């Protein structure tokens, strides 16, 4: 029996699985765990199941040199100091795959809602501003034949491209650190370097992990290179976009609109962002479906069980 510390209540499936074999303690309050409590939990634990809202840095790692595994309940793991964990010899795992469909569907929903101005139309109607049909009221754009640019062709980026190509007849351009010929064939996609992709795309969708090299990947200069009619969607990590520059670009109509599920200073919003009519904001809920969250819970638990029984976990994070 080992001690498994879980930093916040997650769906039951994984907790039940862990409880069969181990002593499981879940932080009792439904809030982001305070640092003191996190460190206390890590000290007690053999295995840590943590969330993307928990910063696992050197100090947390130092609390327990005997920690055997860190299982992140997320696909992204920029909340964990991976180098420090490697140095301490602690394997880190994540939950890819099972949230791909949910995040891809959410991304598509945001892209379509932006093009069709769904959020603006909803608030217009709720406010009582609708006084009768008008020929020029809230005109949006069609998607068919327009260009959808995918920045970062992982599982999620490629699933989004499938939906936008097969469902909406969009032309796909993509950038990644490597080309994917199978993908290119499947959705008739063209590879472009980021500057060309930004110039050509009617909708740009971001699917890169947060790294030093992707921090502020999209900023003032990039917005200026985009079409005036361009729409931007981000369901990856907030700091990939320079949010202050985005607010300015939207205000000045450098681009037409943006939909964000993640924020540079999450959960805080950059000043002015929430006041803009041409943005759609969701609270990091792209993976928030019952299906994805239960599956993430199971995988996060299975990753722990594997390590604790001396096996290689299915989703080991590599440096
Ligand atoms: C969500 O953002 C995740 O990385 O799982
Ligand atoms: C995450 O699952 C990704 O590879 O995009």
């Amino acid at each position: 029996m080992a001690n498994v510390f879980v930093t916040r209540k997650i769906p039951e499936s994984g907790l039940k699985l862990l409880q069969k074999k181990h002593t499981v303690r879940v932080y009792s309050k439904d809030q982001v765990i305070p640092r003191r409590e996190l460190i206390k939990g890590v000290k007690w634990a053999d295995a840590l199941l943590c969330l993307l809202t928990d910063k696992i840095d050197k100090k947390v790692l130092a609390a327990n040199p005997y920690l055997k595994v860190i299982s992140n309940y997320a696909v992204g793991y920029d909340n964990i100091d991976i180098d420090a964990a490697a140095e301490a010899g602690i394997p880190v795992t994540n939950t890819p795959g099972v949230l791909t469909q949910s995040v891809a569907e959410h991304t598509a929903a945001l892209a379509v809602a932006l093009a069709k101005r769904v959020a603006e139309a909803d608030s217009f109607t709720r406010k009582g501003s609708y006084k009768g049909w008008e020929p020029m009221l809230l005109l949006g754009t069609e998607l068919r034949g327009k260009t959808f640019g995918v920045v970062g062709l992982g599982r999620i980026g490629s699933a989004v491209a499938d939906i936008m190509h097969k469902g909406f007849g969009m032309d796909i351009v993509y950038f990644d650190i490597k080309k994917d010929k199978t993908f290119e064939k499947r959705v008739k996609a063209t590879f472009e370097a980021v500057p060309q992709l930004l110039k050509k795309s009617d909708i740009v969708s971001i699917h890169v992990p947060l790294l030093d090299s992707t921090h502020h990947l999209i900023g003032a200069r990039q917005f200026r290179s985009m079409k005036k009619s361009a729409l931007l969607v981000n369901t990856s990590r907030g700091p990939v976009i320079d949010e202050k520059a985005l607010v300015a670009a939207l205000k000045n109509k450098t681009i037409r609109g943006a939909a964000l599920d993640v924020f540079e200073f999450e959960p805080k919003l950059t000043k002015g962002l929430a006041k803009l009519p041409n943005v759609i904001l969701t609270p990091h809920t792209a993976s928030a479906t019952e299906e994805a969250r239960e599956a993430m819970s199971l995988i996060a638990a299975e990753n722990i069980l594997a390590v604790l029984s001396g096996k290689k976990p299915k989703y080991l994070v590599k440096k």
Side-chain angles (χ1 to χ4, degrees), residues 18-63:
L18 289 167
Q19 279 156 354
K20 278 192 200 155
K21 286 207 169 158
H22 300 291
T23 308
V24 178
R25 211 155 88 192
V26 181
Y27 175 60
S28 58
K29 294 191 189 147
D30 192 20
Q31 63 178 37
V32 175
I33 190 170
R35 243 175 116 70
R36 257 192 37 197
E37 296 294 324
L38 172 62
I39 287 172
K40 234 164 77 184
V42 167
K43 277 203 170 111
W44 170 83
D46 298 295
L48 174 69
L49 196 160
C50 58
L51 314 182
L52 59 88
T53 42
D54 305 324
K55 194 168 168 56
I56 311 298
D57 55 14
K58 282 202 175 95
K59 199 153 171 217
V60 173
L61 294 170

Side-chain angles (χ1 to χ4, degrees), residues 52 73-77 95 99 103 235-237 262 284 287 296:
L52 59 88
Y73 179 80
V75 62
Y77 46 84
T95 63
L99 45 61
V103 177
T235 54
S236 64
R237 283 294 181 267
V262 289
H284 208 147
S287 75
M296 287 164 68

Side-chain angles (χ1 to χ4, degrees), residues 234-264:
N234 187 16
T235 54
S236 64
R237 283 294 181 267
V240 174
I241 292 175
D242 179 346
E243 212 165 271
K244 204 169 152 206
L246 174 64
V247 171
L250 290 166
K251 257 191 196 150
N252 303 334
K253 310 233 174 342
T254 312
I255 64 169
R256 185 181 287 162
L260 308 177
D261 185 54
V262 289
F263 306 95
E264 185 169 2

Side-chain angles (χ1 to χ4, degrees), residues 75 95-97 99-100 152-158 207:
V75 62
T95 63
L99 45 61
T100 301
L153 196 78
R155 299 174 185 84
I156 295 169
S158 90
H207 300 285

Side-chain angles (χ1 to χ4, degrees), residues 60-75:
V60 173
L61 294 170
N64 183 358
Y66 302 105
L67 190 65
K68 293 196 180 75
V69 56
I70 299 166
S71 171
N72 210 34
Y73 179 80
V75 62

Side-chain angles (χ1 to χ4, degrees), residues 194-196 198-199 215-227 241-242 244-246 248-249 254-255:
V194 173
Q196 276 69 42
L198 293 175
K199 258 184 219 153
H215 182 264
H216 283 194
L217 182 68
I218 311 291
R221 196 153 60 92
Q222 286 71 30
F223 291 126
R224 281 197 300 274
S225 76
M226 290 165 73
K227 294 184 181 180
I241 292 175
D242 179 346
K244 204 169 152 206
L246 174 64
T254 312
I255 64 169

